[in-house]
Amino acid sequence: MTTGGRGSQPEDAHETPLDSAVAGAFQAAASGKILTANLILARMLGSVSPADLIAASTDFGERLCSDPELRLELRRLLEVRGVVRDFEVPVEQTDGGTRWLSVNARAVRDGNGNILRYEGTAADITERSRAEEALRTNLERFQALVANSAEEIVVADADLKLVYLSPSVAHASGYSLEERAKLDALATVHPDDRAIVESYLQEALERPEQPLPFQVRLLRVDGSCRWVEGVVTNLLEQPRIEGIVINYHDITERKRAEEQHQLLAAELLQAQKMEAVGRLAGGVAHNFNNLLTAISGYAELALAGLPVDSDVRADVEEIKRATERAATVAHGLLAFSRRRVSCRESLDLNEIVSEIGMLLRQVIGENVELKTILAPGLKPVEADRSQLEQVIVNLAMNARDAMPEGGTLTIETANLNLSEQLADFDNSPESGRYVALTLRDTGIGMDEETLAKIFEPFFTTKDANHGTGLGLSTVYAIVEEAGGCTLVESQPNEGTTFTIYLPESDSPA
Ligand code: ADP
Ligand code: MG
């Protein structure tokens, strides 16, 4: 390390053979004052030469370490243990910077154990510490990034044991990381989605390095469900990861919006379908009704012109009766298509139910028992009387068809005050005051698939002689026109309940 040039300087008198070492080297008195040093050490400690360093050195390690506490620690270690290894100390530089030295030193003692002197070496590890510091900062930054990310990260080993969970997993699931780590990998997956997740993991195992996208439902600690979307990637062969990495984020809100959107679209489609069929049916029924009027008029005229004892009289009367029956069908269609002008008045539903009781008994036959539960003080509703009768008769006829072996039809009325919307779907009644009319049968009931279609015109599960599929679509249209709504509850073999909500009217019946 020494050069000829330096040899001419006076300080060189203090240079020792230690100068040829790569590290800084020193000997110090028991007091800590440096006695000898090589040039490298002198430079490390900011002196131009060993002599300069020795002249400036007074106290123990004062030049060697700029941190007083570390200095005491260094001295204590040397006194107690006699030796220190890789002891890292900061050295302040005249330019304000700090260098880091790694010191190895020992205490040399006399026969009585008294310390004669210290000697040791020092290596400059500033660059290494800087690199370590940078690495630490980087690591901390990545940890903070992962911890503060909304993205949840889970790493599993080849046996699907969880080996890493990002803090966001705890935040989003409600489980503490310790709790979650103890559970099975699939424990928080919605039971219906476990098979899918298993197949994703299987696929990941078979296709290393391929990111596989997924959408599944997860359960929070309180049992509630959330949708997440993410990717699973098999990085078992990546030396730095050696795991199956699953990262995902919450999409519950988006899913909810999508579902709402689909529901609305379906409802709109249904409404449009009803509207279109209604128009068509109304148009046909209107023309048909005009023709019927002509047929029945001419039948009337023919009857009037026939002798009382004519052979054909009975036949013509049959024609007249048939036109009357046909007119009922046409009127049903017109009511459904809302072409008929309804005549609205304030009505007492109890009165209507009582009045058509006789007719209803005939409709339902002897096998079916009719029970009526009429609420006292029932509020009036605003509607067309004959239309409301038609609603009750249509529902009663369906109830009869659903109870071929007999049963009970219960008709009930009630005043209702809904403080909030009854259910979270479009056609459910808003908050307000209603009169409810319920028809409950003990019949065969309906499955989901049938229930979804019953209000569609021409939907029927009955054969051509028994069903037109117009009963419920007419009920639906009449009730809607009166500002109300029709709800139905049913299950196969559990009977059926239709409830009609009509807004309470202000004017007395
Ligand atoms: P239709 O009675 O002519 O078939 P509706 O519109 O009155 O037409 O009824 C449609 C369908 O709804 C019926 O075919 C039947 O499948 C079902 N349905 C209606 N009311 C009931 C009920 N009370 N119990 C079981 N099924 C019913
Ligand atoms: Mg019917």
Side-chain angles (χ1 to χ4, degrees):
M1 289 296 287
T2 53
T3 64
R6 280 213 188 91
S8 60
Q9 288 168 7
E11 291 84 3
D12 286 355
H14 293 279
E15 283 191 17
T16 69
L18 285 175
D19 280 345
S20 56
V22 183
F26 64 90
Q27 286 182 319
S31 69
K33 181 174 161 51
I34 292 175
L35 300 176
T36 54
N38 65 357
L39 184 61
I40 295 179
L41 186 77
R43 296 259 162 89
M44 277 180 191
L45 301 186
S47 298
V48 290
S49 66
D52 183 34
L53 175 65
I54 289 161
S57 160
T58 52
D59 193 8
F60 185 89
E62 174 228 348
R63 293 293 300 268
L64 194 61
C65 170
S66 37
D67 180 330
E69 273 178 33
L70 275 180
R71 211 149 58 213
L72 277 178
E73 173 69 6
L74 178 61
R75 178 170 207 157
R76 199 187 58 79
L77 283 175
L78 283 171
E79 280 169 2
V80 176
R81 295 209 199 135
V83 59
V84 294
R85 293 203 193 291
D86 302 323
F87 193 91
E88 294 181 11
V89 293
V91 180
E92 259 169 43
Q93 304 294 291
T94 41
D95 64 6
T98 304
R99 301 200 73 79
W100 282 86
L101 305 187
S102 170
V103 176
N104 286 297
R106 66 186 187 108
V108 181
R109 297 173 196 265
D110 64 14
N112 298 325
N114 299 317
I115 292 174
L116 290 176
R117 60 177 193 275
Y118 301 104
E119 56 188 28
T121 58
D124 191 329
I125 55 163
T126 309
E127 284 316 315
R128 198 181 84 201
S129 316
R130 262 188 207 139
E132 278 171 4
E133 175 72 20
L135 208 61
R136 202 159 40 237
T137 319
N138 249 334
L139 189 67
E140 278 167 4
R141 187 203 282 131
F142 277 111
Q143 278 170 344
L145 263 177
V146 170
N148 292 303
S149 162
E151 194 75 13
E152 295 164 53
I153 303 173
V154 173
V155 182
D157 64 15
D159 300 325
L160 302 185
K161 221 173 85 50
L162 300 183
V163 291
Y164 175 79
L165 291 156
S166 68
S168 43
V169 173
H171 185 248
S173 67
Y175 285 98
S176 75
L177 289 181
E178 295 76 48
E179 279 172 336
R180 180 62 190 93
K182 278 192 211 128
L183 296 175
D184 187 73
L186 296 186
T188 57
V189 177
H190 190 288
D192 293 352
D193 288 354
R194 270 176 211 166
I196 309 175
V197 174
E198 264 168 0
S199 71
Y200 281 132
L201 291 171
Q202 192 54 43
E203 196 179 340
L205 283 172
E206 285 159 16
R207 299 167 63 189
E209 315 267 325
Q210 286 266 354
L212 305 170
F214 66 84
Q215 265 192 19
V216 292
R217 283 163 294 175
L218 297 183
L219 299 174
R220 295 191 189 86
V221 70
D222 62 9
S224 63
C225 173
R226 63 193 184 106
W227 273 100
V228 299
E229 178 182 73
V231 283
V232 48
T233 320
N234 172 355
L235 299 177
L236 283 166
E237 267 141 51
Q238 275 217 8
R240 276 166 214 247
I241 297 176
E242 293 183 338
I244 298 172
V245 179
I246 306 153
N247 61 301
Y248 53 90
H249 53 267
D250 199 296
I251 55 159
T252 312
E253 274 312 309
R254 200 179 87 200
K255 272 278 177 196
R256 196 168 291 154
E258 274 171 19
E259 272 164 21
Q260 191 72 24
H261 185 81
Q262 274 168 10
L263 207 68
L264 283 177
E267 270 167 10
L268 185 68
L269 196 70
Q270 175 73 1
Q272 283 171 342
K273 214 154 74 180
M274 300 285 265
E275 181 76 27
V277 179
R279 275 168 197 275
L280 182 70
V284 172
H286 191 72
N287 291 329
F288 186 58
N289 200 41
N290 290 345
L291 291 173
L292 282 177
T293 313
I295 296 171
S296 108
Y298 282 111
E300 197 86 48
L301 286 176
L303 271 179
L306 278 178
V308 190
D309 57 353
S310 165
D311 284 354
V312 290
R313 197 175 181 89
D315 298 338
V316 178
E317 268 166 0
E318 232 12 85
I319 294 176
K320 237 198 99 201
R321 261 193 293 280
T323 50
E324 275 157 17
R325 281 201 300 277
T328 325
V329 175
H331 288 155
L333 278 175
L334 284 172
F336 164 67
S337 71
R338 288 183 237 159
R339 285 221 166 183
R340 214 183 89 172
V341 195
S342 65
C343 174
R344 290 177 69 157
E345 53 184 324
S346 223
L347 297 169
D348 178 3
L349 266 179
N350 282 351
E351 201 185 296
I352 294 180
V353 173
S354 308
E355 272 173 12
I356 62 166
M358 278 287 281
L359 174 66
L360 287 182
R361 283 206 172 77
Q362 273 178 14
V363 165
I364 61 178
E366 286 169 358
N367 278 346
V368 176
E369 191 196 344
L370 177 67
K371 272 194 199 164
T372 50
I373 307 172
L374 305 179
L378 192 70
K379 298 286 195 293
V381 295
E382 198 90 25
D384 179 296
R385 176 183 288 267
S386 66
Q387 285 187 351
L388 269 192
E389 287 173 357
Q390 199 185 346
V391 164
I392 300 171
V393 171
N394 284 359
L395 292 175
M397 286 198 312
N398 284 344
R400 176 205 59 203
D401 293 345
M403 299 185 284
E405 315 277 290
T408 309
L409 170 64
T410 311
I411 305 185
E412 198 174 342
T413 58
N415 289 316
L416 266 186
N417 191 0
L418 295 184
S419 56
E420 51 191 273
Q421 185 168 23
L422 194 62
D424 188 24
F425 56 88
D426 215 36
N427 142 57
S428 114
E430 307 264 324
S431 64
R433 305 177 76 90
Y434 291 90
V435 177
L437 172 71
T438 307
L439 278 90
R440 187 178 311 118
D441 67 52
T442 54
I444 55 171
M446 285 173 268
D447 57 19
E448 293 273 338
E449 211 181 316
T450 307
L451 266 176
K453 294 190 188 139
I454 54 171
F455 292 113
E456 284 178 18
F458 306 113
F459 172 77
T460 180
T461 54
K462 300 166 192 171
D463 64 45
N465 293 326
H466 290 95
T468 59
L470 282 173
L472 289 180
S473 50
T474 306
V475 167
Y476 182 92
I478 290 174
V479 173
E480 211 191 43
E481 193 184 338
C485 50
T486 312
L487 298 193
V488 53
E489 273 173 83
S490 186
Q491 268 183 19
N493 303 317
E494 301 278 324
T496 301
T497 305
F498 280 93
T499 309
I500 285 161
Y501 294 83
L502 292 167
E504 182 185 310
S505 158
D506 298 330
S507 35

